[in-house]
Amino acid sequence: MGSALQQLFAQLVKAIATSANAIFDKSFETKSFDGRPRKARKHGNRGSLLVDSGALRRSLKYTINGNTITWTSNLPYAKIHNDGGFIKITPKMRRFFWHMYYTCTKKIKRGKKGQVLKASLVHSKDAEFWKAMALLANRKVGSYIKIPRRRFIGNSREVDAKVKKIMDAFVKKLSDAIARQAKARAKS
């Protein structure tokens, strides 16, 4: 029975990992976590705050070690997005912000009288964002940018409810197996 119980327990842990992983993946689509929606993107018009290329979503992997499930990402920005925090401004970042500003301003189309054409307003919002970031970075190298918490993985009511449902099914399956075994022994 020990080996069968271990096999059943391994199936339980795998079921929990698979279900939790599906919930975490869905949080990218719903743009929310644990029933709390994330704030809308302030600049640009494509994707959400956490899905631009989809790399973060695809980077999430889980490993099972005994009765422990661990999720990891190989992307350096995964933790700061999930937990929030502060990033120290470096000279390289400041140069990048200005580069992005100038790249975006080249995309702004102007009419014959110098007015900004409506079709290019999306790009001008991007340019405004990068200029604001560059000016913020110009204040003082070594100051910090606050990155808000944008949860996509971790404990939540939805995960807890799913784990409870899986555990209840596991306990029922286990008690049924024990009852069947007890009946078989009683007959013999």
Side-chain angles (χ1 to χ4, degrees):
M1 179 76 180
S3 146
L5 187 59
Q6 286 174 335
Q7 218 174 11
L8 198 57
F9 189 74
Q11 290 172 2
L12 167 71
V13 174
K14 176 72 174 168
I16 290 171
T18 303
S19 295
N21 203 54
I23 291 168
F24 299 151
D25 189 60
K26 189 177 84 174
S27 75
F28 286 93
E29 290 172 23
T30 61
K31 300 177 186 176
S32 65
F33 187 77
D34 202 19
R36 294 183 201 106
R38 290 188 272 276
K39 288 184 180 179
R41 185 178 211 141
K42 289 183 182 176
H43 68 282
N45 63 344
R46 59 175 228 181
S48 72
L49 289 166
L50 294 178
V51 181
D52 198 18
S53 67
L56 179 60
R57 186 179 190 174
R58 288 189 308 272
S59 76
L60 296 178
K61 306 288 184 226
Y62 68 86
T63 55
I64 299 172
N65 186 8
N67 63 351
T68 303
I69 308 165
T70 306
W71 274 265
T72 58
S73 171
N74 61 349
L75 297 177
Y77 54 84
K79 183 172 175 38
I80 192 80
H81 278 297
N82 195 54
D83 299 337
F86 294 89
I87 298 175
K88 190 174 186 178
I89 297 172
T90 65
K92 186 176 181 179
M93 288 171 68
R94 185 170 41 184
R95 288 190 304 272
F96 174 76
F97 295 150
W98 280 117
H99 166 76
M100 290 304 296
Y101 168 71
Y102 289 121
T103 300
C104 290
T105 55
K106 289 178 186 174
K107 294 178 185 174
I108 296 174
K109 295 181 179 114
R110 298 191 181 273
K112 292 180 182 178
K113 297 179 182 177
Q115 76 279 15
V116 175
L117 300 176
K118 287 183 182 178
S120 67
L121 285 178
V122 170
H123 298 296
S124 70
K125 286 180 183 175
D126 279 348
E128 289 171 22
F129 169 77
W130 290 114
K131 184 177 181 181
M133 292 299 290
L135 291 172
L136 173 72
N138 272 346
R139 286 189 199 154
K140 187 177 183 183
V141 171
S143 55
Y144 292 87
I145 297 172
K146 181 179 181 187
I147 304 297
R149 184 180 201 188
R150 298 179 185 117
R151 299 288 310 249
F152 55 89
I153 196 167
N155 293 334
S156 71
R157 292 184 305 264
E158 188 178 3
V159 171
D160 291 345
K162 192 67 170 180
V163 168
K164 183 182 180 328
K165 185 177 177 182
I166 292 168
M167 291 292 291
D168 289 347
F170 171 75
V171 168
K172 182 173 179 0
K173 192 174 181 180
L174 185 61
S175 65
D176 289 349
I178 291 170
R180 278 193 309 273
Q181 196 172 36
K183 257 187 185 179
R185 284 187 183 165
K187 285 183 180 179
S188 55

